[in-house]
Each structure stands twice: as C-alpha cells, then as structure tokens.
Amino acid sequence: MKVLILSDNHGHYGLVHSIIDRFRPEVDYICHCGDSEFPAEDPIWQEVDAYVAGNMDFDPAYPSQSLLDTDQGRILVVHGHRHQVNHHKYHLIEEAQTLGARMVFHGHTHKLYARIEEGILLVNPGSLAQSRGPVAERTFALAEIDSKQAMIHFYRYDGQELPQLTCLLDFSEGVSDD
C-alpha cells in the first residue's frame, strides 16, 4: 500500500494540486494533515482520501480527525495541535489505540519524522510551506506499508526525493514483550 501524506501548506494551492496530480496515479491513498487554508468544500478534497482541520483552518465543515480503513490497517489522520504534539506523542498513541489505528499521520510542528512507538506508525511529513525542524526543506512524504514494515520516503516540495531521509521501520519495533 502506498500513501501520500501532505500537511501544513498554508495556502500554496498550486503546489498541493501539482503534487496530487503527480502522485495520485501511483498511490492508493492521499492524506492531508491540516493547515491547508483551503475552503472545506474546495474541489481538491475530492482527490484526497482523508483530510482534517488544522489550527489555521477555520471552516467549521472540516473534520477534526479522520479514520481511513485500509488493507494494511486503520489510519488516524489528525493535525496534532489538539494532541500536544509539540511536547510528546503520548496522546497520539493513546488515541490510535482507542480507535484501533495502526498508523497516525499528523502535522502541526512543521518537523518531519517517522517512527514506530508501541507498534503504531507515526509520521509527520513536514511542511509544504516552511520547515521548522533540523531539515531545512519544505517537504511531504510517501509511505509504502505492508504487514511487517513501512518505508517512508520524504520529498522536497518540488518533487525531488530526499533519499538520505528515507527510513525503513519494522512494526515489531517499540512493542514490548510484557
């Protein structure tokens, strides 16, 4: 399964549209983790499988979270501002466990990362508007997920892959034997 993950584009409509146009034919799902600053009824959302409101999306028609059931498990999509992602990932993991999600995609921090904690894949694709992390690039992610592992590829806003950031994660990581 392949999932395109976008977040925090803060406008930049043409950029989001071009990324979706490029990757839609090769991915199974597209998720947007909020702060698009587009209207909730924008036609672009017809191309996106799961999208949510960020702290800068003021349209009340946006969902605060989205669940996507896939053949590789349930994906929880949130922005992250309501889950205190600037401080820890505990609330993300707890919400995923409560909802039976195997994966959580979120934004808000503008800092890309991918890891597995307590058997749950956590991915922040970074920001298409402005990076705030150690990676100075404006980014998005493409996740290739099967029953045992996830390969996360990060791309610059212009579609150039950043191979030095690619990571292979095993779903048995972070699972205790208790």
Side-chain angles (χ1 to χ4, degrees), residues 64-147:
S64 62
Q65 68 180 27
S66 184
L67 287 170
L68 186 60
D69 289 314
T70 75
D71 61 347
Q72 294 301 324
R74 180 173 276 179
I75 300 170
L76 171 63
V77 180
V78 297
H79 185 58
H81 62 299
R82 294 183 173 136
H83 295 83
Q84 301 174 347
V85 295
N86 284 320
H87 306 293
H88 54 76
K89 306 302 181 265
Y90 172 77
H91 293 300
L92 288 177
I93 294 166
E94 182 179 59
E95 185 81 4
Q97 290 170 334
T98 298
L99 297 170
R102 184 177 187 220
M103 298 154 266
V104 179
F105 303 153
H106 76 91
H108 187 57
T109 64
H110 294 218
K111 297 175 184 175
L112 65 81
Y113 79 92
R115 67 176 173 255
I116 293 178
E117 289 188 29
E118 297 188 39
I120 296 169
L121 173 64
L122 303 170
V123 178
N124 183 328
S127 169
L128 285 167
Q130 176 187 24
S131 173
R132 292 189 188 134
V135 177
E137 303 286 351
R138 297 163 33 201
T139 59
F140 63 95
L142 179 69
E144 296 180 74
I145 302 162
D146 66 28
S147 62

